[in-house]
Amino acid sequence: MDPDSATAVRVAAAEQEALISGSEAVAVATRLADVDVLTAYPIRPYDTLMQYVAKQIANGEQDAEYIVAESEHSQFEIAKHAEAVGARAMCGSSGVGWCYAFEAIAVTPALRLPLVAMVGNRALDDPGAFGTEHNDALAARDLGWMHVWVDTAQEALDTTLMAYRVAEDRRVFLPCAISTDGAFLTHSQTLVKIPPQTWVDEFLPPYNRGDLRLHPDNPITIAPQVNEDWLMEIRRQTDEAMRNARGVIEEAYRDFRRIFGRGEGNPFFEEYRTEDAEVVLVGMGTLSMPVKVVIRKLREQGEKVGFVRVRWFRPFDHERLGALLSRFRAIGVIDRDFSMGSPFNSGVLANEIRATLYAQDRRPPVVSFIAGLGGREVTIPAVKEMIEQTRRAAAAGKAPADTQWIGVRA
Amino acid sequence: MARTISVEVVYRGIFQKTLAKNICRGIVLAARKEGKIGISFGRYGDSPERNGIPAKNFAIVAPNEEELQLSMAQYEPETTDVTISVDDMLCKGVESWAWYGLQPINQKVRDQGTLIVTSMLPAEALINFCHTKPTPYRLAVIPAIPSFSGLWVYKDDHTDVRILGALPKVCPELVSLDSIQKAIKEEWNDDLKVTSARRTYEHTATRTVRPGEGNPEVPFKFDLPGWTKMREGVTIDGIRLGEPIKFGDQIGGYRPARNPYFKKYTTRTMRPVIDFDKCIKCTLCWLQCPDSCFDVTPDQTYDLNAEACCGCGVCEAVCPVDNCVTMVNEAEFADNKSQWEAYKQDKQAYQAWVDEKLTHRPERSHGFRYRGQYQEQVAKQGVGPGGAE
């Protein structure tokens, strides 16, 4: 279908508007994607997803197996096995609930099961805390899961459809975690456009597991015991799948734009007012909101500042992100996470950005910030302070060696 | 000593894991008496808790720590100065896990190195089991019945110290008898064990095995596929359906397909012999065999697939007919050929063969079943306890 006829289809079947939260948007996406099996175990803020799914099923709007497990571990195991027999599944959790499922989470990529999970980002207990912090999802960053961060409920819905499309591509077959910030996305309702089923059907083909499907007609054994003779080859296969995912994500977004008429720009990261920017902030998730407000204000005052929001954290678009970031005079990276004892005591994202820049001829100073932990607000003054510090690094041509904690009581 | 010396102990899972460990510890502790430094380790990929499956332990002794590092962080050395086979049936080959192939017992033994076997068989019989080698090596036989223990018990029959005693004789470079005796005294605090080691030292002799001498069979092996060739998702093909069996004009029965990458027969120390004329076709052996070893013949009797058989003895145990399925010492067989085909070719000759085989029933003592069993056993074999030969 060419763009013009896509527009025609859109006019004929206009999207409906609904006032829903980010996790409810994910739930709506599971209905549109005709997910076969949903597994659940309550933990805040992820439970907003399972509640909405339950409601959709009770209302007769959604037809799916809905299994409330006795723990997150079983929840992820059941979803994993559903994927193995060829059922499209959805799972999710938050904070330590996600961690409790870790055994299942760790093995899902090697088994090449394209499970999609929502992580309602939450601080890891103790102390008991509901607020957003990205360490839960990031604990699984090196295992072969794709990780994507969204910042609006609309993006949560769209990205869930995208996640199935990418994960279930035969060249990929990897699980995908969609991170939605606790409270700011999971518990805030905004107006979301719900696309008609026909668009989704055109965009998302059925899940075809092919020769990897566990079925009596296709007798296979999954996950036998192996020793050192085999594991490295298995890891390399997973690595290749993750490499393939970069191209498949591009294809999926291109198709999404054609059918849904939105989602412009690079799928991997969003650029905001970067065109002639001298300094930029970089971050993930909903901290984009206050940052964008400050950027707009400073732009009005003639300041050349911008923002880059990383969406796809795995796979990481090191090539284009590196090329982009090397243009600026200084970069401030805001981590809503921590990595105690890491180089420069930074958060996870800051060190990923430093590593990305290392391959560039021009390497601007990187100021690393830790902010908004445990759901603490990233305020307007805090953003201004981070921009100011980044600007000072630009002027000095050098960043402070250590990471700056922003908004912490001394 | 100017060079590193490697010793390998090939043993059977569970039954000999403590034995193998004791030998390797003893070597390293004895070498320490001479200021040398060593390492004792089990091959990590082995599962020493699998009944009878061939597994390995190693002792490596080096003149100094830097030399030793060359042999550390390895699963196994490439070559050995001494390989010790603590069950003579391992001379038929070693297949420890799927895709491993059949490794000849002497594969790692270096040119002029030594293979020590504990056995009651003469050297010539053992050489016929061992695969040929392009380089000469020496064979030492320590007269002993295989020392099999259980998971929780150790049959303290001096096999460990007798092997330790033989080592300074076959490989004086490794360690002296004096050091071996000191180490045994320290480790076990038992003078009789020290005596056992010395006596074995005195009695041990080697015989050179020439290139080309032995079993000419080419051992089966597999090439491990690369990551681009492997199935994805940590999946492997299921076992496909089998096929009927043909013999002359007769077609029928069923031979199940089996895992081509893991034959498992080197786990065996005994195998069933089937008297087809006695078979009442009750199906129990076929049904109960944990490894699906039995083929259904066109006669509707059950033939052993000897490549798939671990020698567990379940078939004999469940067979309701006396002497129909009978476990026989593995030493009595030179190949894995079909018994049913031999039976079909010449029933009279087959009956004579069965009658002869049935005189070689195995002595089973994986651990002690009753007090005094071991003493009875050695008395019967004519090997005194404590290594007195």
Side-chain angles (χ1 to χ4, degrees), chain A residues 38-49:
Chain A
L38 294 110
T39 64
Y41 186 82
I43 183 171
R44 189 172 169 179
Y46 148 80
D47 57 353
T48 46
L49 166 64

Side-chain angles (χ1 to χ4, degrees), chain B residues 20-40:
Chain B
K21 200 172 145 193
N22 282 358
I23 295 167
C24 291
R25 280 179 57 81
I27 293 168
V28 174
L29 292 171
R32 193 66 191 140
K33 301 282 170 216
E34 299 171 8
K36 299 166 189 167
I37 188 164
I39 178 176
S40 163

Side-chain angles (χ1 to χ4, degrees), chain A residues 110-112 170 211-212 219-224 227-230 233-234 236-237 240, chain B residues 45 75 97-99 224-228 230-240:
Chain A
L111 302 182
R112 307 294 295 281
R170 185 66 180 84
D211 66 325
L212 300 185
I220 54 171
T221 293
I222 302 183
N227 56 21
E228 72 280 355
D229 292 346
W230 293 91
E233 283 70 25
I234 291 167
R236 181 66 183 85
Q237 286 184 329
E240 187 70 7
Chain B
Y75 289 111
W97 48 76
W99 288 84
L224 291 165
W227 70 269
T228 55
M230 283 161 52
R231 281 190 72 118
E232 290 181 296
V234 202
T235 54
I236 52 174
D237 277 320
I239 301 293
R240 301 287 154 183

Side-chain angles (χ1 to χ4, degrees), chain A residues 1 9-10 13 15 25 28-35 88 154 157-158 160-162 164-165 168 193-206 255-256 258-260 262:
Chain A
M1 201 190 299
V9 170
R10 263 201 314 283
E15 292 183 278
V28 169
T30 67
R31 169 172 65 76
L32 292 167
D34 192 19
V35 169
R88 182 173 285 162
Q154 185 70 59
L157 189 154
D158 295 352
T160 304
L161 299 175
M162 228 90 80
Y164 281 112
R165 165 80 181 251
E168 291 171 4
K193 285 187 236 168
I194 299 178
Q197 188 66 50
T198 47
W199 298 5
V200 178
D201 292 345
E202 189 191 342
F203 175 71
L204 185 62
D255 241 25
F256 191 87
R258 178 176 65 77
I259 297 166
F260 295 74
R262 61 171 170 267

Side-chain angles (χ1 to χ4, degrees), chain B residues 10 35 58 66 96 120 138 148 172 213 218 227 258 311 315 335:
Chain B
V10 188
F58 298 95
E66 281 171 31
S96 294
M120 296 305 290
R138 294 173 306 154
F148 279 18
E213 207 178 345
V218 178
W227 70 269
R258 296 184 169 92
C315 47
D335 57 47

Side-chain angles (χ1 to χ4, degrees), chain B residues 108-287:
Chain B
K108 287 186 180 289
V109 181
R110 69 168 171 82
D111 191 353
Q112 299 295 344
T114 305
L115 172 66
I116 296 177
V117 185
T118 54
S119 181
M120 296 305 290
L121 294 172
E124 282 60 37
L126 295 173
I127 290 166
N128 285 338
F129 289 134
C130 297
H131 292 80
T132 56
K133 222 176 141 58
T135 51
Y137 64 100
R138 294 173 306 154
L139 173 69
V141 184
I142 298 179
I145 50 176
S147 179
F148 279 18
S149 304
L151 184 61
W152 305 109
V153 292
Y154 180 55
K155 188 190 283 175
D156 201 0
D157 60 5
H158 292 211
T159 302
D160 41 19
V161 292
R162 294 179 70 212
I163 288 167
L164 285 171
L167 282 168
K169 188 73 165 282
V170 303
C171 189
E173 264 184 295
L174 173 66
V175 70
S176 69
L177 176 64
D178 188 44
S179 303
I180 285 281
Q181 286 180 312
K182 277 185 192 153
I184 291 171
K185 175 76 180 161
E186 248 180 53
E187 183 81 345
W188 281 281
N189 195 25
D190 182 342
D191 287 326
L192 191 56
K193 285 204 157 192
V194 177
T195 308
S196 283
R198 198 196 66 237
R199 284 191 187 164
T200 314
Y201 176 86
E202 286 160 0
H203 293 152
T204 297
T206 61
R207 169 215 193 279
T208 296
V209 184
R210 296 181 308 277
E213 207 178 345
N215 177 6
E217 171 200 48
V218 178
F220 62 86
K221 64 174 186 180
F222 307 103
D223 293 323
L224 291 165
W227 70 269
T228 55
K229 303 284 189 298
M230 283 161 52
R231 281 190 72 118
E232 290 181 296
V234 202
T235 54
I236 52 174
D237 277 320
I239 301 293
R240 301 287 154 183
L241 286 177
E243 52 187 22
I245 291 172
K246 271 169 78 171
F247 183 80
D249 298 339
Q250 223 181 341
I251 299 180
Y254 183 71
R255 175 177 291 131
R258 296 184 169 92
N259 184 348
Y261 304 111
F262 196 16
K263 299 189 190 297
K264 292 188 289 191
Y265 64 82
T266 66
T267 300
R268 187 169 69 209
T269 56
M270 54 184 184
R271 75 165 81 169
V273 163
I274 300 150
D275 190 335
F276 294 98
D277 287 334
K278 289 203 171 89
C279 178
I280 58 166
K281 306 180 182 179
C282 72
T283 77
L284 281 176
C285 58
W286 171 77
L287 204 61

Side-chain angles (χ1 to χ4, degrees), chain B residues 311-331:
Chain B
C312 70
V314 164
C315 47
E316 182 193 52
V318 299
C319 181
V321 181
D322 282 347
N323 300 331
C324 175
V325 178
T326 312
M327 299 310 286
V328 171
N329 273 335
E330 180 61 22

